[in-house]
Amino acid sequence: MAYRVKPAVVRINAYATAEFRYDASAIAAVEKQLLIEGHDLIVRNEPEGEAVVETGAGGSGSGFIIHPDGTILTSGHVVSPTSDKVALERELRRNGAIAALVKHFPIEELRAIYRGDGLDRYIRICGDAGRVVNIDVVGDVELSNGEKIPYRIRRYSPSLAERGTDVAILQIDRKNLPSLPLGDSDAVGVGESIWSVGYPAVASSSDDVIGGWLSRDSDLEPTFNPGIITAIKRDSSNRPVFQSNVAIYRGNSGGPAVNARGEVIGISTWGHANAEQIKFLVPIGVAKEMLAEAKVTPSDEGPFNVAYQAALDAANHGEWVEAKKNLLRAAGIFPNSPDVIRFKRDTDRALKDLPLWRLHPVASAIAVGIVVSMIAFAIILIVRGGRPRIPRDILKATTETVVSPGGAPPGQLILGKFTILNGTRAGEKLGLGGSGIRIGRESAICEI
C-alpha cells in the first residue's frame, strides 16, 4: 500500500525571497523605545548608511495528484503566502525587520522579550522604517521523482481559522503522472486506521537541526506516519473535521491521509505544537465538493497506474517475472521515482532466488514436452522390441493348409484365415468358414 501511494505525493513550494533595506535611523528608533521601556540593550554593528538583510516568507507543504494530467489537491494555507501580494509583502517586511534586530541586538535578550510577547512593537518600528525590494516569488510542485514544475491555482479556500475549507486545487503541465484514488470520508468511523503521507520540514535536508547530514535525494522520500481517527467534529461552518493522533508537522499540511486500501479519506490541515496527539484533517468529501464546482473529475486510471498496479498485484502473488515486466513499463512512463527504483530492487532479489523453471516458464514447458515425448518414444520402442517375432523362414517354409472348422463341407465360403504364429504348429493356417467358430467358454458373450 505504501508503494502504491507514495509516488503520487508531491512537495509544494510557495514562498518568496527579497531584500529588506533599512538605515541607522530604524535601529536608533528601536533602541530608543527599548530604553523607554526599561530594556538596557546595547546596539552592535550600527549601520552606516543603508543596510541590507535577506528576508523570506512562505514555505513548503505537501499535496497529492488526483488526475494523471496534473491536477493536485493540497491545503489552502500552503499556497496562500504567495496568492495575496499585499499579505506577502507584509510578511517579508516583518521577517526582514526580525533579521535586522537579530543583527544589531543581543539574541538572548531579544528572546527574553519575545517570550514576554513584547517583541512585536519593536519589529513593527523597524519594519515601518525599512523597505522590501527585489521580491522573487517561487510557486512550484516538486514531484516524487525530483521534477520541479510551476503550478497555477484553479480553486482556493482559506484556512479553517479564516472560516474557509482550507482546500486548494492546483494544476501543472505534465501528463501520465501517478495519481491516488479518493475514498468515501462519510464512511469513516472513529478508531479507523489511517496513514498520513507528506514532507515534514523537520525531516528534510534543509532543516536547521538535521540539515547538512541528510542528502538532498532524501527529500524525495515522503514520511509515512500511522494513526487512527480519534473523533469526528465539525468546524464553525458545520462542516465535518476529522481529529486524529497521527503525526502531522509543519510541511505535512496538504498531504493525503489514506486508509488501508490506499484511498484518500482526508487532507492534513492543522496540528497544535503543544498537543502532540491532537491533529486535524479535512475530510476528502469536502474537497470533492470543490472539485465538483470546478468540474474536475478525479482519475487513477492513467498509464503509469495501470502498469504499476499490475506490477504490485503480480508481486503480491509471487509472479516476479510478470511484476518486473510491468514495473519496467511504469518506470518508462514516470522515471526516477524512488519507490519504483526500490520496488525494482525487490523484484531483482526475488528473481535471483527463483528456480530456473519459474524464470523461463515457456521454455521450461517446451523442454518438458520434448523430454516427455522422448520418454514415450523410448517406451514404445522397448515394448515393440519385447514382442516375440516369428522367424521369416518358418512362415516361408510352411505349406498353406486351409482347414474348414466344424466339419464344413468342401466349397463352403471361407470367411477368413487364422495363421498360428507360435508353438509347434507355427505357420499353419486355418480357414474360418461355415457358421463361424466360438472362442471361449461362454457362448453367449464370447461368440465370433
Side-chain angles (χ1 to χ4, degrees), residues 75-325:
S75 293
H77 74 266
V78 169
V79 296
S80 63
T82 57
S83 60
D84 185 338
K85 291 185 178 180
V86 174
L88 176 64
E89 184 173 347
R90 183 168 58 247
E91 191 68 14
L92 288 170
R93 184 183 297 274
R94 172 183 170 79
N95 293 339
I98 293 172
L101 293 179
V102 170
K103 183 177 180 179
H104 296 291
F105 295 98
I107 184 67
E108 292 302 327
E109 296 185 35
L110 289 176
R111 284 175 176 165
I113 298 172
Y114 175 75
R115 283 192 291 270
D117 297 328
L119 194 60
D120 279 352
R121 67 174 66 90
Y122 308 113
I123 294 172
R124 190 163 47 251
I125 291 171
C126 184
D128 291 344
R131 58 195 179 96
V132 176
V133 297
N134 299 330
I135 299 175
D136 181 23
V137 179
V138 175
D140 61 39
V141 169
E142 190 170 2
L143 302 179
S144 60
N145 67 349
E147 294 181 58
K148 283 188 176 182
I149 304 171
Y151 68 78
R152 64 181 184 277
I153 300 175
R154 296 181 61 172
R155 284 287 192 283
Y156 163 78
S157 178
S159 67
L160 299 178
E162 300 173 283
R163 303 298 187 268
T165 60
D166 200 19
V167 177
I169 306 173
L170 311 183
Q171 187 68 46
I172 60 174
D173 294 327
R174 177 74 154 79
K175 307 295 182 184
N176 300 329
L177 293 171
S179 59
L180 291 184
L182 305 186
D184 182 7
S185 55
D186 292 339
V188 174
V190 174
E192 182 168 340
S193 295
I194 62 169
W195 289 262
S196 172
V197 193
Y199 295 93
V202 292
S204 70
S205 63
S206 59
D207 180 68
D208 293 338
V209 177
I210 65 174
W213 63 266
L214 276 178
S215 70
R216 178 64 182 86
D217 291 343
S218 298
D219 292 343
L220 299 177
E221 179 67 26
T223 301
F224 208 85
N225 291 326
I228 62 171
I229 299 295
T230 55
I232 299 177
K233 299 188 174 181
R234 292 192 170 270
D235 65 15
S236 57
S237 300
N238 204 35
R239 289 182 295 259
V241 177
F242 290 151
Q243 180 180 316
S244 174
N245 62 355
V246 69
I248 297 175
Y249 304 99
R250 183 172 58 88
N252 273 111
S253 294
V258 300
N259 58 22
R261 295 181 298 277
E263 300 166 338
V264 182
I265 55 92
I267 303 173
S268 300
T269 184
W270 185 81
H272 198 289
N274 298 324
E276 187 67 24
Q277 297 292 310
I278 299 179
K279 311 295 180 180
F280 292 95
L281 313 167
V282 174
I284 198 63
V286 175
K288 284 181 178 179
E289 294 176 4
M290 179 181 284
L291 291 171
E293 293 170 0
K295 297 182 179 180
V296 174
T297 303
S299 172
D300 63 334
E301 297 297 326
F304 172 84
N305 279 26
V306 172
Y308 193 50
Q309 188 62 53
L312 288 167
D313 291 341
N316 192 43
H317 292 92
E319 299 168 358
W320 293 103
V321 175
E322 186 69 15
K324 183 163 185 179
K325 181 180 73 173

